Structure formats: structure tokens, C-alpha cells
């Protein structure tokens, strides 16, 4: 009887494991469902700048400041950790220089996946980033490309506006 119960338990475990093992690409392929906001950790400006500095990512602001409540500043206060890690993933994968020109400061469009909520970064335009995006991401129309992990890169007239739903495979 004990042998039969052990066998049944082993079969039940073996049948349940494939249900739990979802490939990482499937998990990262789509943004959260409408109205669902990721519980990713929020960082302070200091934590984010340390991570950027350690990765060789620069940042600048037209107002030479980091006050989240001033639109001419570049702030990382309350940025999602996955957003910072997404920038680091882009830097490492592309080998391009990255300069962040927009973070969580006021003055950007609102919405769930907004700058203010920590999902977006703006980067200076560069040929290196453009070539990397063209070669590696899927064009989805309207100057937008989607990475394999589901993040969206939008080339605006004077900068890249990137929405990080996840860390991009970090």
C-alpha cells in the first residue's frame, strides 16, 4: 500500500511540474494585462544613478537638476528596478553609449506605463542605438519597435522613448 501511495505521489508531482514550468520567454513576451501593475521594486534617485554609473550609462537634464517635480530636470525617484535593469540590458547587448534624458520627472504623458510611474526612459538619439534596434527588434509601425521581451522602443523626433514592461532578459 505504501509503495502504491508513493508511486501515485510521484506521478502527481511529475504531472504538476510541467504546469509550473513556464518558459522565461513566454513570461516576458507580453506586458501585464490592462489595469495590472507590476509589483517591481521602486528605487530612489541615488540607487538608480549608482546602477547607471556602474553600467556606464550617463544622464543629463536641460535644467541641470534631478527634482522629480520640475519638468526640466531628469529624475529617477520612484523608477522601477526593472526599468533601470532594462537600460543596463540594452547597454550591454548593444554596446552603445546611452545617455538618459528623461526619467520619472513631471511633464511627460500620463498613464499606467508612464514616466511618472517608473516604466519609461528617454535616451539621446544615436546611430548605434538606431542600428541595434533595426537589426534586433520587430518593427510594429509608427516609429515603434518591440524587443523580444516585449519592451517598446519609440523613436520620437529628438529622442528614444522606451517603455520597459520588464528588464529585457536581465
Amino acid at each position: 500500500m505504501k509503495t502504491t501511495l508513493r508511486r501515485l505521489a510521484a506521478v502527481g508531482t511529475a504531472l504538476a511540474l510541467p504546469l509550473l514550468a513556464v518558459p522565461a520567454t513566454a513570461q516576458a513576451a507580453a506586458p501585464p494585462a490592462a489595469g495590472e501593475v507590476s509589483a517591481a521594486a521602486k528605487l530612489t534617485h541615488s540607487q538608480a544613478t549608482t546602477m547607471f554609473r556602474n553600467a556606464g550609462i550617463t544622464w543629463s537634464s536641460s535644467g541641470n537638476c534631478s527634482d522629480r517635480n520640475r519638468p526640466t530636470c531628469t529624475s529617477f525617484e520612484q523608477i522601477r528596478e526593472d526599468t533601470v535593469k532594462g537600460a543596463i540590458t540594452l547597454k550591454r547587448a548593444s554596446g552603445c553609449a546611452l545617455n538618459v534624458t528623461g526619467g520619472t520627472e513631471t511633464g511627460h504623458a500620463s498613464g499606467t506605463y508612464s514616466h511618472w510611474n517608473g516604466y519609461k526612459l528617454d535616451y539621446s538619439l544615436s546611430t548605434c542605438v538606431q542600428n541595434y534596434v533595426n537589426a534586433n527588434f520587430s518593427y510594429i509601425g509608427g516609429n515603434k519597435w518591440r524587443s523580444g521581451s516585449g519592451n517598446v522602443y519609440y523613436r520620437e523626433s529628438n529622442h528614444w522613448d522606451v517603455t520597459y514592461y520588464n528588464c529585457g532578459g536581465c
Side-chain angles (χ1 to χ4, degrees):
M1 181 72 159
K2 286 183 182 177
T3 304
T4 303
L5 288 175
R6 274 187 259 153
R7 285 184 185 153
L8 286 173
V11 168
T13 301
L15 291 173
L17 286 177
L19 297 174
L20 298 174
V22 177
T25 54
Q27 293 174 347
E36 181 182 314
V37 177
S38 170
K42 297 279 186 131
L43 303 177
T44 65
H45 181 81
S46 178
Q47 289 170 319
T49 57
T50 297
M51 291 174 70
F52 285 143
R53 188 177 299 110
N54 289 342
I57 296 171
T58 60
W59 59 95
S60 59
S61 77
S62 59
N64 197 28
C65 51
S66 61
D67 184 341
R68 179 171 161 88
N69 295 303
R70 290 181 48 203
T72 57
C73 297
T74 298
S75 175
F76 305 120
E77 194 65 38
Q78 295 297 305
I79 194 167
R80 294 173 61 254
E81 184 176 14
D82 275 356
T83 301
V84 174
K85 288 181 176 179
I88 294 167
T89 299
L90 174 63
K91 166 85 171 134
R92 289 180 180 157
S94 69
C96 299
L98 286 183
N99 181 59
V100 180
T101 60
T104 61
E105 65 279 349
T106 191
H108 299 280
S110 62
T112 301
Y113 302 107
S114 64
H115 282 272
W116 184 261
N117 288 335
Y119 282 87
K120 288 185 163 215
L121 286 173
D122 289 343
Y123 300 115
S124 299
L125 293 179
S126 77
T127 302
C128 184
V129 172
Q130 182 68 60
N131 290 342
Y132 181 80
V133 168
N134 287 347
N136 294 283
F137 301 156
S138 300
Y139 181 69
I140 57 175
N143 283 338
K144 292 182 183 179
W145 289 260
R146 181 174 286 119
S147 71
S149 62
N151 296 324
V152 176
Y153 290 70
Y154 176 37
R155 183 182 170 149
E156 296 191 31
S157 61
N158 62 353
H159 67 276
W160 282 100
D161 179 278
V162 181
T163 307
Y164 288 103
Y165 298 107
N166 57 67
C167 67
C170 60

